[in-house]
Amino acid sequence: MIARYTRPEMGRVWSEENKFRQWREVELAASEALAEIGEVPVEAARALREHSGFTVARIDAIEREVKHDVIAFTTAMAETMGAAGQADASRWLHYGLTSNDVVDTAQALLIREAAALLDAGVEKLAGVLERRAFEFKDTIQIGRTHGVHAEPITFGLKLALWYDEAVRNLARLRSAAEEIRVGKISGAVGTFGHIGPEAEARICEKLGLRAAPIASQVISRDRHANFLSALALIAALCEKIALEVRHLQRTEVREAEEPFGSSQKGSSAMPHKRNPVTSEQICGLARVVRANVQAAYEDISLWHERDISHSSVERVILPDSTILTDYLLAKTIWLVEGMRVYPDRMRRNLESTKGLVFSGQLLLDLAAAGMLREEAYRLVQGHAMRAWESEGDFRAAVEQDPIIAGYLDQSKISHSFSVRRQLANVDAIFRRVFAGNPALDSQAQLK
């Protein structure tokens, strides 16, 4: 992934240096576990731990010659052993292993590191969404369906909905990360032809992994596809939030907007512009994460017990997807934390249709008062369409209608147009979403 979208901690996880460091850890765990069960000399395992090393530059140089990255790695490790006067011990390096015993198991370690950073990011996003949901729990806003005014909501409900999704994303991420936290040291076709299951279990335990119950030469790639799917859903939530901000920031709406720095410039030609550029960036990059899932699914099917068609793909999609998801989380946290919200504009927009958005409640109240529903719908829709087309006062027309007056007096009509009535269950929804949050004990005051 390009540096523009790579945050330092996640970039370090996927650095060549860290990849080879994890390869080394797998090799050393293998020699030490085999020493414990008497298959490798204890002194050799100790010497490998103390004296083996590598440089990325040397591995790259050897790979250019031998055209095999694992052989280049083990050769570089053996060279450092020879330089330390431990050449004899180096013959126990990579003992009984095949390349993917090292590569797949080490990859699980890299994904574990990446998943921990993403876990913290989703947790932080959920916390920010929760805080701002309570901040705007009672801030009235018009709800929109098909982009058209529907019925009143509160802005806090919108944030609570995102929080609820973030919690599910966190659970999915943790489940997928746990599923992929497996290693395999079962040899070239998964039959333990050179070392046994007991050794594999010991090696994986040393690395903090579980042994895959069964593998070919590679760990089954449905695990990786599931992990990438979890990342795509996290990215989709980031996009969902950013897309909403983009809509709310439109000049005609202007109910919320992303932060805009004092020295920031929105356009090279138009000094007045405050464009939702970060929100648009989030929406764009989420597409890349989703697209990588397709490649992950296509990696599941390999020839027989292994080919390497998946390997080149994973060199791209695993670093890129985790790096981008990490970046998207950071940008979305920034967006939600600093989002500017305009309650007065929300109120004005809700009231701009002069009561039109209460047509549904009026319909129900007329039916409850004895009017046939079809007649009530025809009557209310007639007033609504005239008000829509003429930008007239829907409530005033309703109050002056003698047929409606025969069913509802003025106090009942006022009740039909009550925003508090529409939003009476906001606290109940918050209790369901944020069960146990002490802020729920405070008195609701619709703004």
Side-chain angles (χ1 to χ4, degrees), residues 108 111-112 115-116 118-119 168-182 210 220-234 318:
I111 292 172
R112 183 176 65 187
L118 296 174
D119 189 292
R168 289 195 300 279
N169 274 318
L170 185 59
R172 281 188 286 255
L173 173 64
R174 288 174 175 173
S175 174
E178 179 61 22
E179 183 177 85
I180 206 171
R181 190 178 60 83
V182 295
R210 293 174 289 108
S220 294
R221 258 45 195 177
D222 63 294
R223 298 176 187 269
H224 302 71
N226 185 46
F227 182 72
L228 267 289
S229 296
L231 302 193
L233 286 167
I234 294 168
L318 287 174

mmCIF file of all heavy atoms in Angstrom, residues 108 111-112 115-116 118-119 168-182 210 220-234 318:
data_model
loop_
_atom_site.group_PDB
_atom_site.id
_atom_site.type_symbol
_atom_site.label_atom_id
_atom_site.label_comp_id
_atom_site.label_asym_id
_atom_site.label_seq_id
_atom_site.Cartn_x
_atom_site.Cartn_y
_atom_site.Cartn_z
ATOM 1 N N ALA A 108 0.087 -16.096 10.140
ATOM 2 C CA ALA A 108 -0.899 -16.035 11.226
ATOM 3 C C ALA A 108 -0.436 -15.069 12.314
ATOM 4 O O ALA A 108 -1.245 -14.358 12.922
ATOM 5 C CB ALA A 108 -1.143 -17.425 11.806
ATOM 6 N N ILE A 111 -0.997 -11.510 10.929
ATOM 7 C CA ILE A 111 -2.421 -11.162 10.958
ATOM 8 C C ILE A 111 -2.871 -10.902 12.389
ATOM 9 O O ILE A 111 -3.685 -10.003 12.640
ATOM 10 C CB ILE A 111 -3.252 -12.284 10.302
ATOM 11 C CG1 ILE A 111 -2.951 -12.334 8.801
ATOM 12 C CG2 ILE A 111 -4.742 -12.061 10.531
ATOM 13 C CD1 ILE A 111 -3.570 -13.516 8.083
ATOM 14 N N ARG A 112 -2.334 -11.661 13.334
ATOM 15 C CA ARG A 112 -2.681 -11.419 14.746
ATOM 16 C C ARG A 112 -2.273 -10.018 15.172
ATOM 17 O O ARG A 112 -3.024 -9.325 15.855
ATOM 18 C CB ARG A 112 -2.008 -12.473 15.628
ATOM 19 C CG ARG A 112 -2.376 -12.341 17.106
ATOM 20 C CD ARG A 112 -1.757 -13.468 17.919
ATOM 21 N NE ARG A 112 -0.297 -13.390 17.928
ATOM 22 C CZ ARG A 112 0.490 -14.331 18.460
ATOM 23 N NH1 ARG A 112 -0.044 -15.415 18.994
ATOM 24 N NH2 ARG A 112 1.804 -14.185 18.444
ATOM 25 N N ALA A 115 -4.630 -7.588 13.426
ATOM 26 C CA ALA A 115 -5.985 -7.660 13.987
ATOM 27 C C ALA A 115 -6.072 -6.938 15.324
ATOM 28 O O ALA A 115 -7.096 -6.326 15.649
ATOM 29 C CB ALA A 115 -6.412 -9.120 14.140
ATOM 30 N N ALA A 116 -5.004 -6.986 16.111
ATOM 31 C CA ALA A 116 -5.001 -6.289 17.407
ATOM 32 C C ALA A 116 -5.124 -4.777 17.207
ATOM 33 O O ALA A 116 -5.839 -4.096 17.950
ATOM 34 C CB ALA A 116 -3.736 -6.623 18.181
ATOM 35 N N LEU A 118 -6.512 -3.307 14.585
ATOM 36 C CA LEU A 118 -7.856 -3.047 14.078
ATOM 37 C C LEU A 118 -8.897 -3.161 15.186
ATOM 38 O O LEU A 118 -9.855 -2.387 15.236
ATOM 39 C CB LEU A 118 -8.187 -4.020 12.946
ATOM 40 C CG LEU A 118 -7.315 -3.892 11.694
ATOM 41 C CD1 LEU A 118 -7.642 -5.002 10.703
ATOM 42 C CD2 LEU A 118 -7.486 -2.531 11.052
ATOM 43 N N ASP A 119 -8.704 -4.115 16.071
ATOM 44 C CA ASP A 119 -9.603 -4.285 17.218
ATOM 45 C C ASP A 119 -9.655 -2.997 18.033
ATOM 46 O O ASP A 119 -10.738 -2.509 18.392
ATOM 47 C CB ASP A 119 -9.114 -5.455 18.074
ATOM 48 C CG ASP A 119 -10.094 -5.846 19.167
ATOM 49 O OD1 ASP A 119 -10.279 -5.057 20.110
ATOM 50 O OD2 ASP A 119 -10.659 -6.951 19.090
ATOM 51 N N ARG A 168 -21.286 -4.995 16.288
ATOM 52 C CA ARG A 168 -21.321 -6.254 15.542
ATOM 53 C C ARG A 168 -20.030 -6.451 14.742
ATOM 54 O O ARG A 168 -19.515 -7.567 14.637
ATOM 55 C CB ARG A 168 -22.532 -6.289 14.601
ATOM 56 C CG ARG A 168 -23.862 -6.424 15.321
ATOM 57 C CD ARG A 168 -24.979 -6.818 14.372
ATOM 58 N NE ARG A 168 -25.181 -5.852 13.296
ATOM 59 C CZ ARG A 168 -25.872 -4.724 13.403
ATOM 60 N NH1 ARG A 168 -26.411 -4.402 14.580
ATOM 61 N NH2 ARG A 168 -26.026 -3.918 12.375
ATOM 62 N N ASN A 169 -19.519 -5.369 14.188
ATOM 63 C CA ASN A 169 -18.260 -5.480 13.443
ATOM 64 C C ASN A 169 -17.114 -5.913 14.347
ATOM 65 O O ASN A 169 -16.237 -6.680 13.926
ATOM 66 C CB ASN A 169 -17.923 -4.134 12.788
ATOM 67 C CG ASN A 169 -18.588 -3.979 11.436
ATOM 68 O OD1 ASN A 169 -18.633 -4.908 10.648
ATOM 69 N ND2 ASN A 169 -19.121 -2.801 11.160
ATOM 70 N N LEU A 170 -17.118 -5.419 15.580
ATOM 71 C CA LEU A 170 -16.074 -5.810 16.520
ATOM 72 C C LEU A 170 -16.171 -7.302 16.829
ATOM 73 O O LEU A 170 -15.158 -8.012 16.867
ATOM 74 C CB LEU A 170 -16.185 -4.984 17.800
ATOM 75 C CG LEU A 170 -15.082 -5.186 18.834
ATOM 76 C CD1 LEU A 170 -13.714 -4.852 18.249
ATOM 77 C CD2 LEU A 170 -15.354 -4.320 20.072
ATOM 78 N N ALA A 171 -17.387 -7.781 17.025
ATOM 79 C CA ALA A 171 -17.580 -9.207 17.300
ATOM 80 C C ALA A 171 -17.149 -10.053 16.100
ATOM 81 O O ALA A 171 -16.501 -11.107 16.260
ATOM 82 C CB ALA A 171 -19.050 -9.483 17.646
ATOM 83 N N ARG A 172 -17.496 -9.598 14.895
ATOM 84 C CA ARG A 172 -17.103 -10.343 13.693
ATOM 85 C C ARG A 172 -15.592 -10.356 13.519
ATOM 86 O O ARG A 172 -15.004 -11.378 13.153
ATOM 87 C CB ARG A 172 -17.778 -9.731 12.458
ATOM 88 C CG ARG A 172 -19.231 -10.145 12.274
ATOM 89 C CD ARG A 172 -19.769 -9.669 10.943
ATOM 90 N NE ARG A 172 -20.009 -8.245 10.929
ATOM 91 C CZ ARG A 172 -21.222 -7.678 10.992
ATOM 92 N NH1 ARG A 172 -22.299 -8.439 11.094
ATOM 93 N NH2 ARG A 172 -21.360 -6.370 10.951
ATOM 94 N N LEU A 173 -14.959 -9.208 13.764
ATOM 95 C CA LEU A 173 -13.506 -9.133 13.640
ATOM 96 C C LEU A 173 -12.836 -10.090 14.622
ATOM 97 O O LEU A 173 -11.905 -10.822 14.258
ATOM 98 C CB LEU A 173 -13.038 -7.703 13.896
ATOM 99 C CG LEU A 173 -11.518 -7.494 13.964
ATOM 100 C CD1 LEU A 173 -10.870 -7.811 12.614
ATOM 101 C CD2 LEU A 173 -11.185 -6.069 14.402
ATOM 102 N N ARG A 174 -13.293 -10.100 15.860
ATOM 103 C CA ARG A 174 -12.684 -10.960 16.870
ATOM 104 C C ARG A 174 -12.885 -12.430 16.526
ATOM 105 O O ARG A 174 -11.974 -13.248 16.711
ATOM 106 C CB ARG A 174 -13.259 -10.628 18.246
ATOM 107 C CG ARG A 174 -12.748 -9.292 18.770
ATOM 108 C CD ARG A 174 -13.405 -8.860 20.062
ATOM 109 N NE ARG A 174 -12.782 -7.630 20.556
ATOM 110 C CZ ARG A 174 -13.229 -6.934 21.600
ATOM 111 N NH1 ARG A 174 -14.297 -7.344 22.273
ATOM 112 N NH2 ARG A 174 -12.605 -5.839 21.976
ATOM 113 N N SER A 175 -14.067 -12.760 16.035
ATOM 114 C CA SER A 175 -14.329 -14.145 15.656
ATOM 115 C C SER A 175 -13.442 -14.566 14.484
ATOM 116 O O SER A 175 -12.840 -15.651 14.496
ATOM 117 C CB SER A 175 -15.802 -14.310 15.271
ATOM 118 O OG SER A 175 -16.060 -15.602 14.777
ATOM 119 N N ALA A 176 -13.328 -13.702 13.477
ATOM 120 C CA ALA A 176 -12.507 -14.029 12.305
ATOM 121 C C ALA A 176 -11.030 -14.090 12.672
ATOM 122 O O ALA A 176 -10.287 -14.947 12.169
ATOM 123 C CB ALA A 176 -12.740 -12.996 11.208
ATOM 124 N N ALA A 177 -10.585 -13.180 13.546
ATOM 125 C CA ALA A 177 -9.184 -13.181 13.979
ATOM 126 C C ALA A 177 -8.865 -14.447 14.768
ATOM 127 O O ALA A 177 -7.763 -15.006 14.649
ATOM 128 C CB ALA A 177 -8.896 -11.940 14.809
ATOM 129 N N GLU A 178 -9.810 -14.899 15.564
ATOM 130 C CA GLU A 178 -9.596 -16.133 16.325
ATOM 131 C C GLU A 178 -9.574 -17.342 15.393
ATOM 132 O O GLU A 178 -8.768 -18.255 15.559
ATOM 133 C CB GLU A 178 -10.688 -16.293 17.380
ATOM 134 C CG GLU A 178 -10.590 -17.561 18.212
ATOM 135 C CD GLU A 178 -9.296 -17.673 19.010
ATOM 136 O OE1 GLU A 178 -8.643 -16.627 19.266
ATOM 137 O OE2 GLU A 178 -8.930 -18.806 19.380
ATOM 138 N N GLU A 179 -10.436 -17.334 14.394
ATOM 139 C CA GLU A 179 -10.493 -18.463 13.460
ATOM 140 C C GLU A 179 -9.196 -18.600 12.672
ATOM 141 O O GLU A 179 -8.765 -19.714 12.351
ATOM 142 C CB GLU A 179 -11.665 -18.279 12.498
ATOM 143 C CG GLU A 179 -11.857 -19.434 11.535
ATOM 144 C CD GLU A 179 -13.064 -19.252 10.638
ATOM 145 O OE1 GLU A 179 -12.936 -18.588 9.587
ATOM 146 O OE2 GLU A 179 -14.141 -19.764 11.002
ATOM 147 N N ILE A 180 -8.566 -17.469 12.381
ATOM 148 C CA ILE A 180 -7.349 -17.500 11.575
ATOM 149 C C ILE A 180 -6.090 -17.614 12.436
ATOM 150 O O ILE A 180 -4.980 -17.682 11.911
ATOM 151 C CB ILE A 180 -7.292 -16.248 10.669
ATOM 152 C CG1 ILE A 180 -6.462 -16.526 9.417
ATOM 153 C CG2 ILE A 180 -6.799 -15.030 11.411
ATOM 154 C CD1 ILE A 180 -6.533 -15.445 8.370
ATOM 155 N N ARG A 181 -6.256 -17.665 13.750
ATOM 156 C CA ARG A 181 -5.105 -17.756 14.661
ATOM 157 C C ARG A 181 -4.635 -19.213 14.766
ATOM 158 O O ARG A 181 -4.642 -19.829 15.812
ATOM 159 C CB ARG A 181 -5.481 -17.209 16.046
ATOM 160 C CG ARG A 181 -4.286 -17.028 16.994
ATOM 161 C CD ARG A 181 -4.725 -16.447 18.328
ATOM 162 N NE ARG A 181 -5.682 -17.286 19.018
ATOM 163 C CZ ARG A 181 -5.376 -18.343 19.780
ATOM 164 N NH1 ARG A 181 -4.110 -18.695 19.954
ATOM 165 N NH2 ARG A 181 -6.342 -19.023 20.385
ATOM 166 N N VAL A 182 -4.248 -19.764 13.614
ATOM 167 C CA VAL A 182 -3.796 -21.151 13.566
ATOM 168 C C VAL A 182 -2.496 -21.243 12.783
ATOM 169 O O VAL A 182 -2.228 -20.454 11.878
ATOM 170 C CB VAL A 182 -4.853 -22.083 12.918
ATOM 171 C CG1 VAL A 182 -6.113 -22.143 13.757
ATOM 172 C CG2 VAL A 182 -5.179 -21.646 11.492
ATOM 173 N N ARG A 210 -3.044 -21.869 17.702
ATOM 174 C CA ARG A 210 -3.589 -23.215 17.742
ATOM 175 C C ARG A 210 -3.139 -23.948 16.481
ATOM 176 O O ARG A 210 -2.953 -23.336 15.439
ATOM 177 C CB ARG A 210 -5.124 -23.169 17.787
ATOM 178 C CG ARG A 210 -5.691 -22.588 19.068
ATOM 179 C CD ARG A 210 -7.208 -22.431 18.988
ATOM 180 N NE ARG A 210 -7.593 -21.354 18.066
ATOM 181 C CZ ARG A 210 -8.136 -21.543 16.875
ATOM 182 N NH1 ARG A 210 -8.360 -22.780 16.433
ATOM 183 N NH2 ARG A 210 -8.464 -20.522 16.114
ATOM 184 N N SER A 220 -6.164 -23.894 5.014
ATOM 185 C CA SER A 220 -7.307 -23.639 4.133
ATOM 186 C C SER A 220 -7.632 -22.146 4.096
ATOM 187 O O SER A 220 -7.723 -21.487 5.130
ATOM 188 C CB SER A 220 -8.529 -24.432 4.589
ATOM 189 O OG SER A 220 -8.288 -25.814 4.443
ATOM 190 N N ARG A 221 -7.839 -21.641 2.882
ATOM 191 C CA ARG A 221 -7.971 -20.198 2.693
ATOM 192 C C ARG A 221 -9.367 -19.650 2.962
ATOM 193 O O ARG A 221 -9.591 -18.433 2.839
ATOM 194 C CB ARG A 221 -7.531 -19.841 1.274
ATOM 195 C CG ARG A 221 -6.130 -19.238 1.189
ATOM 196 C CD ARG A 221 -5.101 -19.936 2.004
ATOM 197 N NE ARG A 221 -3.899 -19.100 2.152
ATOM 198 C CZ ARG A 221 -2.850 -19.444 2.866
ATOM 199 N NH1 ARG A 221 -2.832 -20.610 3.510
ATOM 200 N NH2 ARG A 221 -1.812 -18.636 2.971
ATOM 201 N N ASP A 222 -10.316 -20.497 3.337
ATOM 202 C CA ASP A 222 -11.606 -19.945 3.763
ATOM 203 C C ASP A 222 -11.434 -19.095 5.022
ATOM 204 O O ASP A 222 -12.179 -18.137 5.240
ATOM 205 C CB ASP A 222 -12.614 -21.076 4.023
ATOM 206 C CG ASP A 222 -12.173 -21.980 5.173
ATOM 207 O OD1 ASP A 222 -11.138 -22.670 5.022
ATOM 208 O OD2 ASP A 222 -12.854 -21.984 6.218
ATOM 209 N N ARG A 223 -10.428 -19.440 5.841
ATOM 210 C CA ARG A 223 -10.162 -18.647 7.039
ATOM 211 C C ARG A 223 -9.750 -17.222 6.665
ATOM 212 O O ARG A 223 -10.195 -16.250 7.280
ATOM 213 C CB ARG A 223 -9.040 -19.293 7.865
ATOM 214 C CG ARG A 223 -9.351 -20.685 8.395
ATOM 215 C CD ARG A 223 -8.142 -21.258 9.105
ATOM 216 N NE ARG A 223 -8.316 -22.651 9.508
ATOM 217 C CZ ARG A 223 -8.789 -23.047 10.686
ATOM 218 N NH1 ARG A 223 -9.148 -22.144 11.579
ATOM 219 N NH2 ARG A 223 -8.894 -24.334 10.970
ATOM 220 N N HIS A 224 -8.904 -17.110 5.655
ATOM 221 C CA HIS A 224 -8.417 -15.803 5.227
ATOM 222 C C HIS A 224 -9.529 -15.002 4.561
ATOM 223 O O HIS A 224 -9.647 -13.788 4.765
ATOM 224 C CB HIS A 224 -7.236 -15.987 4.267
ATOM 225 C CG HIS A 224 -6.103 -16.769 4.867
ATOM 226 N ND1 HIS A 224 -6.191 -18.127 5.115
ATOM 227 C CD2 HIS A 224 -4.864 -16.392 5.265
ATOM 228 C CE1 HIS A 224 -5.057 -18.538 5.646
ATOM 229 N NE2 HIS A 224 -4.232 -17.506 5.747
ATOM 230 N N ALA A 225 -10.365 -15.707 3.769
ATOM 231 C CA ALA A 225 -11.488 -15.028 3.134
ATOM 232 C C ALA A 225 -12.467 -14.493 4.168
ATOM 233 O O ALA A 225 -13.018 -13.386 4.022
ATOM 234 C CB ALA A 225 -12.190 -15.988 2.168
ATOM 235 N N ASN A 226 -12.680 -15.248 5.222
ATOM 236 C CA ASN A 226 -13.574 -14.798 6.293
ATOM 237 C C ASN A 226 -13.013 -13.560 6.988
ATOM 238 O O ASN A 226 -13.740 -12.614 7.296
ATOM 239 C CB ASN A 226 -13.763 -15.930 7.307
ATOM 240 C CG ASN A 226 -14.771 -15.576 8.381
ATOM 241 O OD1 ASN A 226 -15.842 -15.061 8.112
ATOM 242 N ND2 ASN A 226 -14.424 -15.865 9.632
ATOM 243 N N PHE A 227 -11.711 -13.543 7.218
ATOM 244 C CA PHE A 227 -11.070 -12.393 7.843
ATOM 245 C C PHE A 227 -11.202 -11.161 6.946
ATOM 246 O O PHE A 227 -11.550 -10.073 7.414
ATOM 247 C CB PHE A 227 -9.600 -12.698 8.115
ATOM 248 C CG PHE A 227 -8.858 -11.591 8.815
ATOM 249 C CD1 PHE A 227 -9.089 -11.312 10.154
ATOM 250 C CD2 PHE A 227 -7.936 -10.824 8.125
ATOM 251 C CE1 PHE A 227 -8.403 -10.286 10.795
ATOM 252 C CE2 PHE A 227 -7.240 -9.796 8.756
ATOM 253 C CZ PHE A 227 -7.482 -9.528 10.093
ATOM 254 N N LEU A 228 -10.948 -11.322 5.656
ATOM 255 C CA LEU A 228 -11.090 -10.203 4.724
ATOM 256 C C LEU A 228 -12.535 -9.725 4.651
ATOM 257 O O LEU A 228 -12.802 -8.522 4.502
ATOM 258 C CB LEU A 228 -10.596 -10.604 3.338
ATOM 259 C CG LEU A 228 -9.138 -10.300 2.979
ATOM 260 C CD1 LEU A 228 -8.896 -8.840 2.781
ATOM 261 C CD2 LEU A 228 -8.177 -10.859 4.017
ATOM 262 N N SER A 229 -13.487 -10.644 4.781
ATOM 263 C CA SER A 229 -14.905 -10.264 4.788
ATOM 264 C C SER A 229 -15.228 -9.393 5.995
ATOM 265 O O SER A 229 -15.988 -8.417 5.890
ATOM 266 C CB SER A 229 -15.793 -11.512 4.798
ATOM 267 O OG SER A 229 -15.621 -12.268 3.621
ATOM 268 N N ALA A 230 -14.653 -9.739 7.139
ATOM 269 C CA ALA A 230 -14.866 -8.919 8.340
ATOM 270 C C ALA A 230 -14.308 -7.516 8.142
ATOM 271 O O ALA A 230 -14.919 -6.519 8.561
ATOM 272 C CB ALA A 230 -14.223 -9.590 9.557
ATOM 273 N N LEU A 231 -13.147 -7.410 7.485
ATOM 274 C CA LEU A 231 -12.574 -6.089 7.218
ATOM 275 C C LEU A 231 -13.452 -5.303 6.255
ATOM 276 O O LEU A 231 -13.634 -4.087 6.418
ATOM 277 C CB LEU A 231 -11.169 -6.229 6.634
ATOM 278 C CG LEU A 231 -10.117 -6.982 7.450
ATOM 279 C CD1 LEU A 231 -8.728 -6.740 6.848
ATOM 280 C CD2 LEU A 231 -10.142 -6.577 8.917
ATOM 281 N N ALA A 232 -14.007 -5.981 5.266
ATOM 282 C CA ALA A 232 -14.873 -5.297 4.300
ATOM 283 C C ALA A 232 -16.112 -4.729 4.977
ATOM 284 O O ALA A 232 -16.582 -3.637 4.621
ATOM 285 C CB ALA A 232 -15.267 -6.261 3.185
ATOM 286 N N LEU A 233 -16.645 -5.447 5.948
ATOM 287 C CA LEU A 233 -17.822 -4.942 6.673
ATOM 288 C C LEU A 233 -17.461 -3.743 7.541
ATOM 289 O O LEU A 233 -18.257 -2.809 7.694
ATOM 290 C CB LEU A 233 -18.431 -6.064 7.517
ATOM 291 C CG LEU A 233 -19.199 -7.108 6.703
ATOM 292 C CD1 LEU A 233 -19.492 -8.337 7.545
ATOM 293 C CD2 LEU A 233 -20.495 -6.516 6.155
ATOM 294 N N ILE A 234 -16.272 -3.736 8.115
ATOM 295 C CA ILE A 234 -15.815 -2.564 8.867
ATOM 296 C C ILE A 234 -15.680 -1.374 7.924
ATOM 297 O O ILE A 234 -16.139 -0.260 8.223
ATOM 298 C CB ILE A 234 -14.479 -2.856 9.570
ATOM 299 C CG1 ILE A 234 -14.662 -3.913 10.657
ATOM 300 C CG2 ILE A 234 -13.892 -1.571 10.165
ATOM 301 C CD1 ILE A 234 -13.357 -4.464 11.208
ATOM 302 N N LEU A 318 -3.622 -8.928 1.783
ATOM 303 C CA LEU A 318 -3.571 -8.944 3.243
ATOM 304 C C LEU A 318 -2.971 -7.651 3.806
ATOM 305 O O LEU A 318 -3.590 -7.005 4.659
ATOM 306 C CB LEU A 318 -2.820 -10.175 3.751
ATOM 307 C CG LEU A 318 -3.582 -11.504 3.615
ATOM 308 C CD1 LEU A 318 -2.695 -12.670 4.005
ATOM 309 C CD2 LEU A 318 -4.858 -11.493 4.462
#
